[in-house]
């Protein structure tokens, strides 16, 4: 049974988002796994998703013996190209994942039309989109269900963490009974390490220290000295023995704290994104153009396309500039054995192009006007790609 604190966090989240039910998990990928299980996805089924995502999004599909079917992206929004979606539907398709990349809402009218016509449920991947809106409606409230991540790089962080939301009573009941019968608890050591990492994060991680901190964190994760977002065993579905894990009290407490300041976080992200628009425009760089009566994105990071991605990342690390690299390949990170995830080179050419060009700039509450100025000064030394 989830603790009172966990129930409190789930209620606060569902109320804030405007969904009937919310269920918290150890990570976002575990939230997706629970959802797919509850929807009855299994051996031989197909799940459609954009070919520009994080491999951890694909693992739950593979764990269930289902097949990921990739759709290429639109270059302007990095989201699934709805014009290419319907032809991928087969009698085996059991779900469509609409991932709102970087916080840009997908074209939900088109996706919901195709899904309804073919009677296929839509799962919204809101891991990068907290409070983005499409025609005034919040992302996460369109499909049968949605899931969120609260890992380090996400709109707010509890270190690790995930949440499913749904308005569907039957689906909610299925998730609840799965939790009751199969979910394991994180061990004390893991929870303690996560708590310690959150303390270090609060005290020491700022834009100029991020690149160094990420390198140290990856090294310590490999050595097993910290609880990382991903372990190497997660690349092998058959090793996923303790994957279906509950959220801890540490995450619930941290999440409740974050929800109290969520409006400030969102306003800051919007203000920073506008600042980047203005600064880039002043330098004659292409920047975001969209119709605010249609979409109101709350971005997780600010994407920019450049010709010399590797060089920029290497120089940024030396210069103490917080330059993000995702997605490094169609199924981030670059180490992903693509063939093992049913991805063949050339399958999603726009996603592959975006992987080679897109870097991203910080919008989070610790980044400020000086960060934006420094980041724009840095990135505009490179060649923009339109
Ligand atoms: C778009 C997207 N979906 C899902 C996930 C998985 O979230 P988590 O790391 O919490 O499992 C990620 C991971 O970073 C992501 O970028």
């Amino acid at each position: 049974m989830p603790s009172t604190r966990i129930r409190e966090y789930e209620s606060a989240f569902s109320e804030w988002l405007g969904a009937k039910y919310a269920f918290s998990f150890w990570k976002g990928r575990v939230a997706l796994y629970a959802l797919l299980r509850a929807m009855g996805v299994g051996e031989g089924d197909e799940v459609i998703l954009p070919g520009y995502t994080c491999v951890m999004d694909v693992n739950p599909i593979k764990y269930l013996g289902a097949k990921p079917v990739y759709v290429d992206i639109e270059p302007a929004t990095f989201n699934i190209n709805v014009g290419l979606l319907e032809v991928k539907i087969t009698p085996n398709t059991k779900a469509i994942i609409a991932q709102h990349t970087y916080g840009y809402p997908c074209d939900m009218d088109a996706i919901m039309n195709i899904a309804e016509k073919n009677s296929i449920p839509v799962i919204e991947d809101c891991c990068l989109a907290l409070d983005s809106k499409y025609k005034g409606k919040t992302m996460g409230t369109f499909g049968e269900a949605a899931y969120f991540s609260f890992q380090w790089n996400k709109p707010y962080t509890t270190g690790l963490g995930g949440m499913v939301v749904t308005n569907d009573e039957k689906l909610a009941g299925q998730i609840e009974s799965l939790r009751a019968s199969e979910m394991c608890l994180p061990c004390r050591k893991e929870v303690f390490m996560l708590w310690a990492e959150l303390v270090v994060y609060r005290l020491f991680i700022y834009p100029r220290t991020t690149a160094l901190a990420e390198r140290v964190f990856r090294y310590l994760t490999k050595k097993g000295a910290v609880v990382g977002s991903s372990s190497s065993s997660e690349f092998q579905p058959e090793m996923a023995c303790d994957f279906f894990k509950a959220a801890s009290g540490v995450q619930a407490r941290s999440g409740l704290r974050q929800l109290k300041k969520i409006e400030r976080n969102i306003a800051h992200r919007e203000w920073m994104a506008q600042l980047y628009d203005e600064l880039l425009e002043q330098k004659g760089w292409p920047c975001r153009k969209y119709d605010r009566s249609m979409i109101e994105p709350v971005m997780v990071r600010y994407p920019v396309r450049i010709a010399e991605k590797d060089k920029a990342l290497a120089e940024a690390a030396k210069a103490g500039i917080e330059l993000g690299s995702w997605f490094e390949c169609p199924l981030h990170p670059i180490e992903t054995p693509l063939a093992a995830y049913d991805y063949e080179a050339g399958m999603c050419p726009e996603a592959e192009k975006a992987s080679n060009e897109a870097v991203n700039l910080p919008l989070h509450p610790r980044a400020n006007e000086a960060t934006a100025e420094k980041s724009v000064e840095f990135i505009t030394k490179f060649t923009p790609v339109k």
Side-chain angles (χ1 to χ4, degrees):
M1 273 291 282
S3 69
T4 318
R5 184 57 53 80
I6 286 187
R7 290 280 189 211
E8 188 192 342
Y9 178 36
E10 293 172 345
S11 306
F13 192 86
S14 61
E15 199 178 304
W16 174 76
L17 190 84
K20 265 194 195 160
Y21 307 96
F23 301 94
S24 60
F25 297 92
W26 180 242
K27 296 181 185 178
R29 65 203 75 171
V30 184
L32 174 61
Y33 175 82
L35 249 180
L36 294 173
R37 282 282 309 275
M39 285 177 165
V41 173
E43 203 67 41
D45 290 337
E46 292 175 3
V47 176
I48 295 181
L49 74 168
Y52 187 67
T53 189
C54 166
V55 70
M56 295 309 160
D57 228 16
V58 189
N59 266 342
I61 301 170
K62 296 291 283 179
Y63 292 169
L64 293 169
K67 184 173 173 233
V69 174
Y70 303 105
V71 178
D72 205 358
I73 56 165
E74 296 171 325
T77 61
F78 301 94
N79 282 334
I80 199 161
N81 184 335
V82 287
L84 305 175
L85 171 59
E86 198 160 12
V87 291
K88 298 286 176 117
I89 295 176
T90 73
N92 296 327
T93 308
K94 288 293 178 305
I96 296 170
I97 299 182
Q99 170 189 293
H100 309 301
T101 313
Y102 297 115
Y104 285 117
C106 290
D107 181 350
M108 290 315 290
D109 279 351
I111 293 177
M112 295 310 289
N113 273 340
I114 294 171
E116 275 159 27
K117 198 166 93 189
N118 293 279
S119 306
I120 296 169
V122 171
I123 297 173
E124 285 178 79
D125 178 340
C126 294
C127 293
L128 309 176
L130 196 69
D131 207 39
S132 294
K133 294 191 173 66
Y134 176 86
K135 295 190 176 171
K137 191 167 146 68
T138 309
M139 307 327 291
T141 60
F142 285 82
E144 255 71 3
Y147 68 105
F148 295 79
S149 164
F150 310 116
Q151 180 256 6
W152 300 106
N153 291 317
K154 300 304 187 292
Y156 78 70
T157 187
T158 58
L160 302 173
M163 190 80 78
V164 165
V165 297
T166 183
N167 287 327
D168 185 316
E169 191 180 345
K170 191 164 158 228
L171 193 59
Q174 262 146 350
I175 296 174
E176 192 71 83
S177 60
L178 257 180
R179 285 215 297 192
S181 58
E182 289 185 30
M183 198 157 67
C184 62
L185 294 174
C187 70
R188 275 189 187 181
K189 187 176 159 207
E190 277 175 313
V191 176
F192 174 76
M193 287 207 285
L194 187 60
W195 171 81
E197 285 161 29
L198 278 165
V199 172
V200 170
Y201 177 81
R202 273 205 293 278
L203 294 177
F204 299 114
I205 312 299
Y206 291 92
R208 67 179 183 286
T209 58
T210 303
L212 175 64
E214 274 177 1
R215 283 205 301 276
V216 173
F217 189 70
R218 275 193 204 131
Y219 173 80
L220 292 175
T221 303
K222 268 195 203 138
K223 299 273 166 208
V226 294
V227 41
S229 345
S230 301
S231 62
S232 51
S233 68
E234 280 186 71
F235 286 96
Q236 296 154 286
E238 64 281 6
M239 301 281 284
C241 44
D242 68 342
F243 181 74
F244 191 37
K245 213 179 273 181
S248 61
V250 164
Q251 289 159 297
R253 268 196 302 280
S254 170
L256 282 163
R257 266 200 308 272
Q258 306 291 332
L259 282 177
K260 285 204 181 107
K261 34 186 189 182
I262 192 80
E263 303 307 333
R264 233 186 312 150
N265 177 343
I266 289 162
H268 179 84
R269 287 176 183 283
E270 288 177 323
W271 170 75
M272 282 289 290
Q274 247 168 22
L275 193 56
Y276 280 119
D277 287 347
E278 286 161 20
L279 292 170
L280 286 168
E281 199 144 37
Q282 280 166 21
K283 299 264 184 190
W285 270 50
C287 65
R288 308 174 306 156
K289 293 268 180 299
Y290 52 83
D291 177 359
R292 276 195 85 83
S293 68
M294 284 288 288
I295 62 165
E296 297 162 67
V298 178
M299 312 285 289
V300 64
R301 310 266 312 174
Y302 189 102
V304 181
R305 287 185 185 243
I306 52 169
E308 313 91 341
K309 178 167 175 170
D310 291 344
K311 187 165 177 256
L313 287 166
E315 285 186 18
K318 280 196 212 132
I321 301 283
E322 189 191 328
L323 189 66
S325 66
W326 28 276
F327 296 126
E328 293 165 353
C329 73
L331 310 178
H332 182 96
I334 198 77
E335 294 82 14
T336 302
L338 296 177
Y341 288 90
D342 309 302
Y343 187 93
E344 282 166 29
M347 238 177 196
C348 299
E350 285 299 342
E352 290 175 24
K353 187 169 182 304
S355 309
N356 290 330
E357 297 170 352
V359 288
N360 55 70
L361 310 174
L363 296 171
H364 52 73
R366 288 159 182 229
N368 55 25
E369 195 165 345
T371 319
E373 282 166 1
K374 220 168 125 191
S375 302
V376 168
E377 208 49 55
F378 174 83
I379 205 67
T380 51
K381 286 189 296 191
F382 298 91
T383 318
V385 178
K386 304 214 168 158

